[in-house]
Amino acid sequence: MAAVKWSTAASAGRFALQLLAQVVLARTLGPDTFGIFAIGMIILTFANFVSGFGFSWNLLQRTTLREEDIRFAWTWQCIVGAVTMLGLYLLAPVLADYFREPRAQSVIEWLSLACLLGAAAAPATYLLQRDLNFRAVGLVQVGSYAAGYLAVGIPMALLGWGITSLVASWLVQATVVLVASYWLKPHALRPLFWYPDAVSSVGTGRAVFFTNIVNWLLNNLDRVLVGRLLSAEALGLYNMAYNLATLPNTLLVGALQPAFMAAGARLQNEVQRLGRVYFQMLATIFVLGLPAFVFLALISSDLVRLLYGPQWREAGGVLSILFLAMPAYVVWGLSTPILWNTGRRHYEYALQLPLVGLGVMGFYFFAGQGIQAAATVAALLLVVRAIVISTAAFRALGLHGSTVLQHVARGLMLSALCCAGVLSGQLAVARFEMPLLSLVTSTLAVFFPLTLLLALRPQILGDQAAAMVLRFCPGLERFLSRTKPVPLPENLGEQIL
């Protein structure tokens, strides 16, 4: 729980910095520039999976760790990172031609440096996570982002450097992560090309590699085809909405998944205990996360107009659709560690592989119809992925899916109240056409009724969500001690669903 709290604090800090930087840069540079940079980032994320391969991931998963394990991971991370960097640099003209955007070539060439920087930083980063030292991990994340975007990117953008400011931001951030991670967790740098346990390390790396490739395809097919079939400006609008939708999601998954993975690796032989924590997390996401994302989906248009200005107006509809799918993304992110920590490391990519074909067909037929159509396919794909992976996780832990229905029902009830509050607030001030006024009114129309409801009937949270809240806020114990569950009808979840 200490690790989760530090990870949450770091994610919250990075969330604030990302929102600030994204708003300033988006208003300064516009959708077209963001679209060109998005092409480079799509390719870089794939290249990072190749350069990482999974050698360092093995350090996190091992129950015992020796110096040879670290040296072997460091050696091959650097080798594969350097080869990937060179390959990406040489392929830059071909990749830019695929997206029909010659301006992306130099972006791809410069970003290729990040492959080597990220690969070299991975061993120290995973060793910090293994130690559950998320205080240090969080400081590195927040500090590197501040150095890259606040100290370098925003000033360069305001001085007229255009897309160069975005590239410089990313490279500075990657450099700071490398230096700071190694400074906090120094490790042996002597090369080691092979050792008796290398087969096991490569086996884990292979599973991580294939899993990452499948996840990259499912997470980026939409942007690959939007960039190919539409334009850089359309990709910029879509990518901004996607990034904004995943900011709060990053706060949740980014805080919970690494700590859950590292702690879960120590509970591999305590399946029941692991299952209790997993179920409690899911209940909290459904009861508290679902209403929060429904609220964000309903205020998306006003949010985009207020933060980014009229040139980004089209992104509002995309953002609304993606927000509705974010609870599924969180469920997926919390379910994958279960598979890895119960000896089912191959399940994640094997179960999702058929979904790649489904996604390709969906995006191919609908992405050309506009960015909202692409967002709808992406949202549905996230829901299907969450169902597939969480079902496998439930089976691994011996849980029954029906047990979570009452928590889904609670979340849907609270979501309905959010809908009523937001719509009434927006309707009351619609004639003024002022996004800030609409946001304030909608927020107040949701906040006061929900606060009153929880004050009078805290039992509506249910025992599992209340227990998770108390883990983070023990001071609420007296208030939430009244949450001895007021039970909903047994079949209420099934009726609502």
Side-chain angles (χ1 to χ4, degrees):
M1 286 308 303
V4 171
K5 288 178 180 179
W6 276 112
S7 190
T8 302
S11 296
R14 184 165 178 172
F15 171 85
L17 292 180
Q18 278 185 286
L19 185 59
L20 172 63
Q22 193 176 93
V23 168
V24 174
L25 291 170
R27 281 183 169 272
T28 304
L29 302 176
D32 186 60
T33 301
F34 262 71
I36 298 170
F37 184 70
I39 293 172
M41 290 308 302
I42 291 168
I43 296 166
L44 177 62
T45 52
F46 179 82
N48 278 338
F49 288 146
V50 176
S51 63
F53 187 75
F55 291 108
S56 294
W57 182 274
N58 184 57
L59 302 179
L60 181 64
Q61 284 287 292
R62 283 186 172 274
T63 52
T64 58
L65 196 64
R66 298 170 296 170
E67 181 178 323
E68 289 83 357
D69 301 317
I70 300 171
R71 290 173 55 204
F72 180 77
W74 156 259
T75 302
W76 283 100
Q77 286 275 195
C78 291
I79 291 172
V80 179
V83 172
T84 306
M85 177 186 67
L86 180 60
L88 186 57
Y89 182 88
L90 296 176
L91 288 173
V94 177
L95 295 169
D97 185 61
Y98 168 82
F99 285 98
R100 302 170 184 170
E101 185 50 76
R103 293 174 294 175
Q105 178 177 340
S106 61
V107 173
I108 298 169
E109 290 172 346
W110 278 105
L111 287 178
S112 66
L113 290 170
C115 295
L116 181 57
L117 294 172
T125 300
Y126 280 108
L127 287 172
L128 288 171
Q129 291 185 10
R130 178 185 175 85
D131 294 340
L132 292 178
N133 189 358
F134 283 88
R135 179 171 181 261
V137 173
L139 290 173
V140 170
Q141 290 178 345
V142 174
S144 63
Y145 193 88
Y149 282 85
L150 299 187
V152 175
I154 290 178
M156 288 182 67
L158 294 175
L159 290 173
W161 284 82
I163 197 168
T164 304
S165 61
L166 297 176
V167 175
S169 299
W170 193 269
L171 293 178
V172 169
Q173 180 185 10
T175 302
V176 172
V177 168
L178 171 59
V179 174
S181 297
Y182 184 77
W183 181 71
L184 290 167
K185 189 66 177 181
H187 56 80
L189 301 179
R190 287 182 297 132
L192 179 64
F193 297 97
W194 199 256
Y195 73 118
D197 211 15
V199 174
S200 174
S201 298
V202 173
T204 300
R206 188 185 304 114
V208 172
F209 175 75
F210 286 121
T211 300
N212 284 339
I213 295 302
V214 170
N215 284 331
W216 180 88
L217 289 170
L218 292 171
N219 289 334
N220 290 278
L221 279 172
D222 49 355
R223 281 166 283 186
V224 169
L225 289 172
V226 166
R228 168 73 176 178
L229 299 175
L230 299 177
S231 64
E233 182 176 356
L235 179 58
L237 290 165
Y238 185 91
N239 198 58
M240 186 281 296
Y242 191 94
N243 288 339
L244 185 57
T246 55
L247 275 180
N249 187 60
T250 300
L251 177 62
L252 290 170
V253 176
L256 294 174
Q257 189 187 56
F260 192 32
M261 177 68 78
R266 304 183 182 190
L267 297 174
Q268 294 182 32
N269 298 320
E270 300 182 53
V271 175
Q272 289 186 342
R273 189 177 172 193
L274 192 61
R276 286 196 300 270
V277 177
Y278 172 67
F279 185 77
Q280 199 171 84
M281 287 182 171
L282 288 190
T284 307
I285 294 303
F286 287 128
V287 175
L288 298 178
L290 182 58
F293 280 111
V294 168
F295 170 75
L296 290 172
L298 293 170
I299 65 170
S300 291
S301 295
D302 290 330
L303 195 63
V304 169
R305 288 167 58 200
L306 177 66
L307 293 178
Y308 296 94
Q311 61 181 332
W312 293 88
R313 182 187 296 267
E314 280 188 70
V318 175
L319 182 61
S320 181
I321 295 168
L322 293 175
F323 266 142
L324 292 175
M326 286 303 110
Y329 205 132
V330 180
V331 170
W332 169 83
L334 293 178
S335 301
T336 54
I338 297 297
L339 301 181
W340 284 84
N341 288 323
T342 55
R344 294 166 172 81
R345 65 188 185 188
H346 298 93
Y347 278 36
E348 186 179 349
Y349 74 80
L351 291 173
Q352 292 187 112
L353 191 57
L355 301 182
V356 174
L358 183 65
V360 169
M361 290 189 295
F363 289 121
Y364 181 79
F365 287 111
F366 293 102
Q369 297 182 20
I371 54 178
Q372 290 196 21
T376 302
V377 176
L380 293 174
L381 193 58
L382 282 174
V383 172
V384 174
R385 292 172 67 190
I387 292 172
V388 169
I389 297 300
S390 63
T391 299
F394 266 65
R395 290 180 177 175
L397 296 171
L399 300 174
H400 297 286
S402 58
T403 57
V404 83
L405 287 180
Q406 66 166 313
H407 302 289
V408 175
R410 295 177 191 276
L412 291 174
M413 291 170 61
L414 293 174
S415 298
L417 292 176
C418 286
C419 287
V422 171
L423 295 177
S424 62
Q426 290 176 339
L427 183 62
V429 298
R431 64 182 183 277
F432 297 109
E433 296 188 1
M434 297 173 62
L436 179 58
L437 179 61
S438 180
L439 282 173
V440 172
T441 306
S442 301
T443 302
L444 294 177
V446 169
F447 177 77
F448 286 114
L450 283 182
T451 302
L452 180 61
L453 175 64
L454 292 175
L456 296 175
R457 302 285 289 180
Q459 301 94 331
I460 198 171
L461 293 179
D463 55 338
Q464 297 296 327
M468 181 59 74
V469 171
L470 287 177
R471 287 176 180 268
F472 288 90
C473 305
L476 295 176
E477 182 176 5
R478 187 174 179 181
F479 171 72
L480 292 178
S481 62
R482 294 182 289 155
T483 56
K484 291 308 179 184
V486 178
L488 300 169
E490 289 186 2
N491 64 342
L492 178 58
E494 297 173 0
Q495 291 174 8
I496 292 178
L497 292 177

